[in-house]
Amino acid sequence: MSELYKKLDSEKGIHTDFKNNMTYGDYLNLDKILSSQKRLSDHHDEMLFIIIHQVSELWMKLILHELTAAIKAIDEDEMHSAFKMLARVSKTQTQIIQAWDVLSTLTPAEYLEFRDSLGQASGFQSYQYRLIEFALGYKSTHILKIYEKDPEVHEALELAFKAPSIYDVAIKALARAGFDINPELLDRNFSKVYAGDPTVAAAWREVYRNVDKYWSLYELAEKLVDIEDWLQQWRFRHMKTVERIIGFKVGTGGSSGVNYLKQVLDHRFFPELWDLRTEL
């Protein structure tokens, strides 16, 4: 161990005087981040509950950062840039999924000790999660009312609600590649949930049957499948963690809890990309 200390002492170039320079903590605003875990109860395990949700929100911020840029890149035919961003989204999703393993160390008895302190606050109200759903094409009007309390958040959600999703710009990319896409899809009301279309299904089938010819579109399709796959795994782990901790109780936000989470597992964001696996 003494040899290690000698090596460390030999690192003469390490900066130690930060009276007039920015530190690591300054750059990351650690004073604000690390002082934001304010328990509303005296229970030890509430700290776990707060940190898991805060960390997940930070990862969601990164997902939105990448998804928003990827939508723009696909719309501008910058496919390789989009692929890099979407690959990062998938990797980030794995981190959020693993967070459920940590939260599941919270037992029902422990959660009951501080659950009432949450009032009506619930992860159901996460506006960043709604923005992710909107970016992937799942638009639900009743959700918007939750955010009227915060005009800035509400405006951001309304804009995203009306904007084309990543699948909408993917369909436009199919049309630009020469596929006979239903023209009504290219300028549709993007606030409506996409329900599928035969011309889109036919285009994707052709892409998968001629991978070399349509390599970029093929890779885009697989990146989208990756993201939906990981999102559904996140939803499933969410549902099982909730069931493990509160069973079938109503959620703090008023949802039916596990029953609601089971329902959303049936939704598909990119239907043709899943259907063609049976049809090929």
Side-chain angles (χ1 to χ4, degrees):
M1 186 62 73
S2 60
E3 288 299 317
L4 174 60
Y5 288 133
K6 287 179 182 178
K7 289 179 181 178
L8 291 174
D9 286 341
S10 69
E11 293 287 339
K12 304 300 183 185
I14 293 177
H15 296 289
T16 57
D17 183 359
F18 287 95
K19 290 184 178 68
N20 299 307
N21 294 310
M22 179 177 65
T23 66
Y24 170 80
D26 294 334
Y27 175 66
L28 295 177
N29 284 312
L30 288 182
D31 57 336
K32 295 179 181 177
I33 293 173
L34 298 180
S35 62
S36 296
Q37 294 72 47
K38 303 185 187 303
R39 288 182 291 166
L40 298 179
S41 73
D42 294 327
H43 198 273
H44 173 85
D45 295 304
E46 189 182 355
M47 184 64 74
L48 161 70
F49 193 80
I50 293 170
I51 288 176
I52 285 292
H53 288 86
Q54 287 182 340
V55 169
S56 294
E57 289 292 336
L58 284 172
W59 282 129
M60 282 192 272
K61 184 171 184 176
L62 179 59
I63 287 173
L64 284 167
H65 178 70
E66 301 297 340
L67 272 180
T68 303
I71 289 171
K72 184 174 183 292
I74 295 166
D75 210 28
E76 296 174 354
D77 272 329
E78 296 288 340
M79 290 297 192
H80 291 294
S81 296
F83 296 157
K84 173 68 175 178
M85 297 161 188
L86 295 178
R88 184 173 292 159
V89 168
S90 293
K91 288 294 184 183
T92 306
Q93 287 174 294
T94 67
Q95 297 299 306
I96 298 184
I97 291 168
Q98 289 175 359
W100 293 121
D101 294 337
V102 183
L103 186 59
S104 66
T105 64
L106 182 69
T107 70
E110 290 163 347
Y111 184 48
L112 282 174
E113 291 291 328
F114 64 86
R115 189 183 190 227
D116 287 346
S117 300
L118 304 180
Q120 295 178 332
S122 165
F124 184 84
Q125 297 146 16
S126 168
Y127 71 85
Q128 288 199 123
Y129 178 70
R130 298 306 172 188
L131 286 170
I132 291 171
E133 284 190 329
F134 289 178
L136 297 180
Y138 185 54
K139 312 286 181 78
S140 45
T141 52
H142 70 281
I143 292 296
L144 292 174
K145 186 170 179 59
I146 294 172
Y147 310 97
E148 290 177 349
K149 176 182 177 180
D150 189 329
E152 188 175 341
V153 168
H154 191 262
E155 182 181 3
L157 281 158
E158 279 198 318
L159 287 172
F161 186 76
K162 296 172 183 175
S165 71
I166 197 165
Y167 200 50
D168 289 314
V169 296
I171 290 171
K172 288 183 179 182
L174 289 171
R176 288 195 301 271
F179 289 102
D180 186 17
I181 299 297
N182 178 357
E184 292 181 3
L185 296 178
L186 305 179
D187 191 29
R188 70 185 189 88
N189 180 353
F190 297 118
S191 67
K192 302 293 184 182
V193 176
Y194 175 76
D197 187 274
T199 62
V200 174
W204 285 127
R205 281 197 300 271
E206 186 67 16
V207 167
Y208 274 74
R209 285 172 176 153
N210 295 276
V211 170
D212 292 339
K213 182 178 180 181
Y214 300 111
W215 178 259
S216 288
L217 290 168
Y218 171 71
E219 190 168 357
L220 172 60
E222 286 298 294
K223 288 284 190 289
L224 294 179
V225 169
D226 285 342
I227 288 171
E228 179 165 350
D229 189 349
W230 285 117
L231 184 68
Q232 294 292 47
Q233 290 188 52
W234 182 90
R235 281 174 160 179
F236 179 78
R237 289 294 295 121
H238 184 190
M239 181 268 292
K240 293 307 292 183
T241 303
V242 170
E243 184 177 359
R244 176 173 177 154
I245 296 174
I246 68 167
F248 285 81
K249 292 186 181 73
V250 172
T252 52
S255 76
S256 58
V258 169
N259 288 324
Y260 170 80
L261 296 172
K262 283 184 175 180
Q263 291 172 25
V264 297
L265 280 171
D266 292 331
H267 174 75
R268 296 192 302 171
F269 293 91
F270 317 127
E272 290 90 359
L273 295 179
W274 293 99
D275 289 341
L276 69 80
R277 281 152 166 77
T278 303
E279 298 166 2
L280 284 177

